[in-house]
Amino acid sequence: MGLNTWVRVLIAFISVWVILVLIFYSKLNTGGANDTEDAFRRLNQALSYLEKSKQVDQELRTLIDEYISDTSYNRKQKFVDELGNKLQIQGAGAGHFKGVPSLEYEQLRRRVYSNTQELWNFLNSEVIKAAKIGRKNSPEIAPPLDALLSLASEHKRSLLNDINQMRASDGYEFWRYKESKDLSDLVQRRLNYLQNPEDCSTARKLVCRLNKGCGYGCQLHHVVYCFIMAYATERTLILKSKGWRYHKAGWEEVFQPISDTCLDANGATHASWPGTTETQVLTVPIIDSLNPRPPYLPLAIPADLAPRLMKLHGDPIVWWIGQFLKYLLKPTGETRQMLENGMEKLGFRKPIVGVHVRRTDKVGTEAAFHGIEEYMMAVDDYYNQVEMTEAIDKRRVFIASDDPKVIDEAKAKYPHYEIIGDPDVAKVAAVSTRYTDSSLNGIILDIHLLSLSDYLVCTFSSQVCRVAYEIMQTLYPDASGRFKSLDDIYYYGGQNAHNREVVLAHNPKNHDEIHMRKGDLVGVAGNHWNGYSKGKNSRTSQVGLFPSFKVNDKIEVVDLPKYPKVK
């Protein structure tokens, strides 16, 4: 179906939607009603119109999802942004816009959600352990425990659904969408200003060489780190990419140049990091060799954006990293065509869960083996949650892997799912053929589709997975909860310390746990996804386990340039 036809249909739906909202609003605001029966009659009419409005709204959302699945990424994003803004603004004008939430409300709402998840992690882990022991020693105990776990999972889904419904009806959704767009637009304008100085010959520059000896996701993170350094020092980033191991001709044949006006590293003075503020051209090493290490490395966010960002997003650093990727990963025409062809070939459409299964060079070195059953258990849990409120026509999964056997295994074991994935892409992702053009196209497509998925199941030990998660943050006001990692928590390679602040004191119950007082800082090493995390208390230097719900992330905030010329 052509774009013009879609637009005509959508305009018709929008018109009906707006009319219903306005009628509903007028019914609620008609004055002079002293008669109780008449008031109830008008209220019933208003509720009837509201139900019709909800129905049309749901049909409109379904139509948009279908459109998203059938068109290119750039067209899709622009279309949805414009349409979403129009609907949100019209809804706000009809009385749905409540205002701006408080920081305390938004943080508490997210904490209740995460603590519900942590309670489930604890309960699930303990019951499974008890059932395992029961099957071995007292078989009659296992069935009641299984029944308990099944009912508890329903309770968990119900609680999470209630929290989601509370968010949807609290009157702040318009603010969330608008604030997300405004913040992103501001950062993108700042980056564009930084990258396009008035005079390249006199501009201060920071040179980044795309030569880090690692995989694609790792190299993207290397460029992002360089970009953060450039932003913090107010220098135009110059990316030296000729001879790139993934594409010898360089970055500019795969993605658009990161500047329209300044691409050379010429300058009157040159130095390696740290240089001085007077040095015109500064070259930075890889993040692992950076010395001295500035405070604005991840996981820090800019102080001038922090109050807004901490209110908007559940994991501000992921949003911040996502903004740099948004600016960097603008495909050339050829790359865009490859992405569109890939989506069409695979039949990528929503609803869909993206699953990334990393095997080959990771398993046994940086990560443990996880069977497809573990991934699909998380997929099942996601769809069970969604089906609390909406019907799913088909449970779809997109699988990206460097092992083609994973896709075949999933299709064989889960025939009730629609499994999509390209075994050819998985083959060229193997170590022996990784650094080729076909492999590069494959990994770009995989990350693109993983980021477009409704939910992400993967291992955060993989940089490919973390990149997809970071890009996902640019597509929603807050996508910090749209993932399930089977191993690590989110981290950025080479990051500064990741601290969590104790909000509830803890007295250890055994020698594996640490003592915590309210206000302590704990350097977190990971979440065991069983109700406990591991870390080091900076006050006592104790290393051990602690209940995950007793801490909050400490957001690192640093003063960075405010770019006053960017309005």
Side-chain angles (χ1 to χ4, degrees), residues 264 304 325 336 348 362 398 428 435 503:
D264 69 73
D304 68 310
L325 289 169
R336 184 182 300 111
F348 185 92
K362 287 285 184 181
F398 166 67
V428 296
Y435 305 109
V503 294

Side-chain angles (χ1 to χ4, degrees), residues 226-245:
C226 292
F227 213 167
I228 291 173
M229 296 286 288
Y231 182 97
T233 57
E234 295 184 273
R235 294 173 176 272
T236 300
L237 178 64
I238 306 297
L239 185 59
K240 292 288 191 179
S241 65
K242 298 297 182 183
W244 183 23
R245 68 193 304 187

